[in-house]
Every structure is written in structure tokens, then in C-alpha cells.
Amino acid sequence: MNNFTGRSRNDEDENDISVELDREEIEINCLEQEDERETEKIKLKNNSNSHHFTNDDGAGSTDNNTASKRNAGVRKQLSVFMCCGQKADTKKGKQAISKDLEKKPAFTGIGLVYALLASFLFSVVALLAKKIEGVHSVEISLIRCFFQMLFLLPAIIYNKTGFLGPRDQRIFLFLRGFLGANAMILLFYAVQQMPLADATVIMFSNPVFTAILAWIFLKEKCTIWDFVFTLFTLTGVILIARPPFLFGSRTEGIEGEYTNHMKGTIAAFAGAVGAAFTFVVLRKMGKSVHYYLSVWYYAVIGFIECVIALFAIQEWSIPYCGGDRWLLILIGLLGVAGQAFLTKALQLEKAGPVALMRTMDVVFAFIFQFFFLNRAPTWWSFGGAFCVISSTSGIALRKWYINTRSG
């Protein structure tokens, strides 16, 4: 089998052409590189002195190279980069190139639908953690890590990614697992100590801190807008926390004692910073580590950490109510499903639109708090949520705009 390649003069409008010769007639599938969904069939007829390309519209082009003698029954495959309807330049071609078409989503925007489903499921997980009584946040985290390990194990074995990862990336994998697990534990603790919506809003501020930490540790570009968004986010956190030295005795809308409210605020803020550190570590690793392996470290290290913490604080407890036991299992299952939808969303859409859709976490938190926990949000909470969502949305829109221009 002989292979030939060529490239047209117009490099910006390239087409992948697969040609298969079989005696008198050859069919060519012209696959547009810019829009792989369109396929044009071209018929190639063998003449004694030249090959003549004829497309469906009747337009044709002739290759100036003299055809070699044909052997009966011999098949040849020609893969050429050229613009349909123009002459092929075969001087630069040295090898055959073939590309498989990627399956297109069923409809435009399906990635955003997956992101919305992920936000919904993560919000339900936070609601269930709030509804369960008498179970420590560390134990809830342990249950979620267990189910994540359970579902990831077959995938890792099937894909043969291994369980340890590249030697030079293991320290980053450990940090990813340790920081991510702590962020999860702190989120569940915050949800138990303060209103659901307030904890979600503070935890959702992590993209702002990610930009600052990436500037410090990864030397990524940081502009004045990043600092403005950071200040705006801190303002939102202060409006939710309402420290006495700024707001005096105005504690209306606070759930339980103010001391617990402050504990929840500190935990949520620390969890947001921990999540930001996790994203920085993931950026550092880039694509050198398979996604399954990254989540595997997160689940295994989180599980081990939770077991050690539970033995240390002596908070092992089995819910007396059968309903709470089912809620714990549901937290584990929904957490895995939410992670799967988020991963699929990032595969189909750019990070900017997905980050914007993730702001629905806050909306769902307010809705769940009002309808399922019978607690109306205060104006302070709405103000804080506005500041945080505006900041995170501003960062996402700005990066989306920059990537669109550079692309």
C-alpha cells in the first residue's frame, strides 16, 4: 500500500481527504477540519495520464503528477490535506494522516445542562448533610469518600491508570487529596453550624482565591480586577458573618448561637481557601495525571484522614433513625453522580460557562433553605451572596473573554 500526502496553499482552510483507489473508480471522503460534521463525497476517475477529481457539484481539479502503473486488484490509500476544488500540492506530504471524528453532543448546550445537574446534586448533598442530626461532619465525609472509592475502583482497573501515578507527580497528588478532603470536611461542618445558604455562599468564593494563589505560586498573570473581585468577595463574607465589632448586636437571622455561626463562617472560609489551593495543585499537574487518579487520591486520602480523625475525637456514631442511614448512603451516591456530571460538563464546554452555571449552587441553597428548612434568608445574606456571585461571575466572564480573543 502506497501513501501520499499533500497540503494546499491555503493553510487556514484545510480538509482531510481519505482516498481509496480500486481500479476504475475511487471514493474520497472530504472531511472538513473546521466543521467535522460535514462530509463531501468526491469521485476520482483514473485516466491514462492523470487523476481527475470530481465533486458532487461537478467541479473538478487535476493532479499534475503522472499516475503510476496500476496493478490489478491492488488497493491504495491516499490521504491528502487540500482545499476541495483546488489543486493538491503533494510536495510537502510524506506520510498518511487520518483522524477519527469525535461524536458531537446531541444538542448545543448539553454541557451546561450537565453543569446545572452537578450544581443541583451538590446542593442536595449539602441539604442532606444539614438534615442529618447526631452525625459528625467527619463521618459524613468518610461515607462520601467510601462510595467514591467504590465507584472509582472499577474505572481505574479498566483504564489501567494505576493507583500511584507518575513518581514526580505523587507529592502533588497527595496535596490534592489532602487539601480537597479537608475542604469537604470543612464545608459539611460549616453547613451544620450555620444557615445552609450562608455556608454555600462563603464556600463558593474559592474561584477568587484561586486567582490570587495562582499568581503567587504559579506566577500566573494577575490584574487589578482580581484584587477588586477579592475585596468584593471579602465584603460579601463580612456581610454574612456580621462580626460584632462591625455590626454590634444585630444577630437577626443567625441560626442558633452566634458562637456557632462564627465557627461555621471560619470553617467555610477555610474550606474555600483549601479548595482554591486544590485547584492550584490541579493546575500545576495539568494533564500529566489522569483524572481518575486525581479523584482516587482525593477519596483514599480523605477516607484515611476521616478514620484517623474519628478515632481521635471519638465521634463514631450510627444514626438511630433508619431514614438518616439512607440519607448517608444517598450523600455518597449523589456526590459521585455530581462529580461525574461536572467532569462531563468540563469535557463538552469551556471552563468559563461552566463556572457561571455553577453559581446556581447558591440559588439552589437559598431555595432549599426556604422550602425544606423553613428559614427565610436575611437581607444581609442576600447582600453577601450578591457580592460573592458578582465576583466569581466577573472572574469567569473575564477569563472567558480573554480565551475567546486569544483563540
Side-chain angles (χ1 to χ4, degrees):
M1 180 180 293
N2 297 326
N3 293 329
F4 302 87
T5 58
R7 184 176 296 274
S8 69
R9 296 178 182 177
N10 186 5
D11 290 334
E12 294 180 357
D13 186 14
E14 296 179 343
N15 303 283
D16 189 8
I17 301 179
S18 177
V19 184
E20 188 175 16
L21 286 78
D22 187 8
R23 296 205 175 193
E24 296 297 329
E25 184 174 289
I26 301 166
E27 285 193 358
I28 304 174
N29 289 330
C30 179
L31 309 178
E32 290 286 341
Q33 190 177 31
E34 292 294 330
D35 187 1
E36 296 179 344
R37 291 172 298 180
E38 297 181 2
T39 301
E40 182 181 359
K41 284 189 176 180
I42 301 176
K43 291 192 175 181
L44 179 66
K45 295 181 179 179
N46 289 323
N47 294 327
S48 58
N49 297 324
S50 65
H51 291 300
H52 184 74
F53 292 80
T54 305
N55 60 18
D56 290 343
D57 297 331
S61 63
T62 305
D63 188 354
N64 296 325
N65 296 330
T66 303
S68 59
K69 294 181 179 181
R70 293 182 292 117
N71 296 324
V74 176
R75 289 180 174 268
K76 300 179 181 180
Q77 187 174 1
L78 172 64
S79 179
V80 203
F81 277 97
M82 60 177 289
C83 182
C84 293
Q86 297 181 1
K87 293 182 178 181
D89 182 8
T90 59
K91 293 181 179 180
K92 297 181 181 179
K94 290 184 179 180
Q95 58 182 2
I97 302 175
S98 61
K99 294 183 179 180
D100 294 330
L101 290 175
E102 295 181 358
K103 292 184 179 180
K104 295 295 180 181
F107 60 90
T108 304
I110 186 64
L112 297 180
V113 175
Y114 287 143
L116 181 63
L117 288 173
S119 295
F120 176 78
L121 293 177
F122 288 140
S123 299
V124 172
V125 168
L127 173 65
L128 296 179
K130 182 74 173 177
K131 294 287 289 184
I132 295 178
E133 297 181 357
V135 179
H136 199 277
S137 60
V138 177
E139 188 171 350
I140 296 176
S141 302
L142 182 142
I143 297 296
R144 179 173 173 181
C145 289
F146 172 77
F147 277 96
Q148 201 144 337
M149 291 168 54
L150 195 64
F151 280 88
L152 273 175
L153 188 60
I156 290 178
I157 295 175
Y158 177 79
N159 287 277
K160 299 179 180 179
T161 59
F163 294 94
L164 297 178
R167 187 178 299 274
D168 59 336
Q169 298 293 329
R170 289 175 188 174
I171 181 63
F172 298 112
L173 285 168
F174 174 81
L175 289 175
R176 183 267 183 271
F178 180 77
L179 294 170
N182 279 285
M184 174 183 59
I185 295 171
L186 290 169
L187 171 62
F188 286 144
Y189 180 80
V191 165
Q192 291 181 336
Q193 300 298 323
M194 65 189 304
L196 174 64
D198 292 350
T200 303
V201 168
I202 297 175
M203 192 68 187
F204 192 76
S205 64
N206 66 79
V208 179
F209 302 121
T210 302
I212 302 297
L213 293 173
W215 170 61
I216 296 173
F217 294 101
L218 303 181
K219 308 303 178 183
E220 293 186 2
K221 186 178 180 181
C222 188
T223 65
I224 188 64
W225 283 108
D226 293 309
F227 290 100
V228 171
F229 291 141
T230 301
L231 291 176
F232 214 50
T233 298
L234 294 177
T235 301
V237 174
I238 290 174
L239 290 177
I240 293 174
R242 281 172 282 169
F245 65 88
L246 290 177
F247 293 84
S249 58
R250 298 178 181 177
T251 59
E252 63 272 9
I254 289 179
E255 187 176 280
E257 298 181 0
Y258 184 78
T259 303
N260 292 334
H261 183 83
M262 283 304 300
K263 288 180 181 179
T265 300
I266 296 172
F269 187 82
V273 175
F277 270 110
T278 302
F279 294 143
V280 171
V281 173
L282 288 172
R283 287 188 188 180
K284 176 66 176 178
M285 291 190 298
K287 296 182 179 180
S288 60
V289 176
H290 196 280
Y291 166 77
Y292 286 150
L293 193 59
S294 174
V295 181
W296 172 257
Y297 265 79
Y298 164 72
V300 171
I301 293 178
F303 183 84
I304 296 174
E305 183 181 349
C306 289
V307 170
I308 295 174
L310 286 173
F311 273 112
I313 62 179
Q314 294 295 318
E315 287 288 346
W316 287 100
S317 62
I318 299 177
Y320 295 104
C321 176
D324 286 347
R325 298 177 185 179
W326 285 108
L327 291 181
L328 283 173
I329 297 175
L330 199 57
I331 285 175
L333 295 177
L334 293 181
V336 173
Q339 196 73 41
F341 278 123
L342 181 59
T343 303
K344 193 65 177 178
L346 291 171
Q347 289 176 345
L348 297 175
E349 293 287 348
K350 293 183 179 180
V354 173
L356 288 175
M357 188 59 68
R358 285 300 310 275
T359 58
M360 290 300 296
D361 284 50
V362 178
V363 177
F364 286 132
F366 276 103
I367 293 174
F368 292 165
Q369 179 175 302
F370 182 79
F371 285 102
F372 296 101
L373 301 177
N374 299 320
R375 179 172 291 277
T378 64
W379 288 108
W380 298 110
S381 297
F382 280 123
F386 173 78
C387 291
V388 172
I389 291 180
S390 298
S391 301
T392 54
S393 300
I395 287 180
L397 285 172
R398 181 174 170 273
K399 290 186 176 180
W400 187 11
Y401 174 74
I402 293 174
N403 292 334
T404 303
R405 288 189 61 186
S406 61

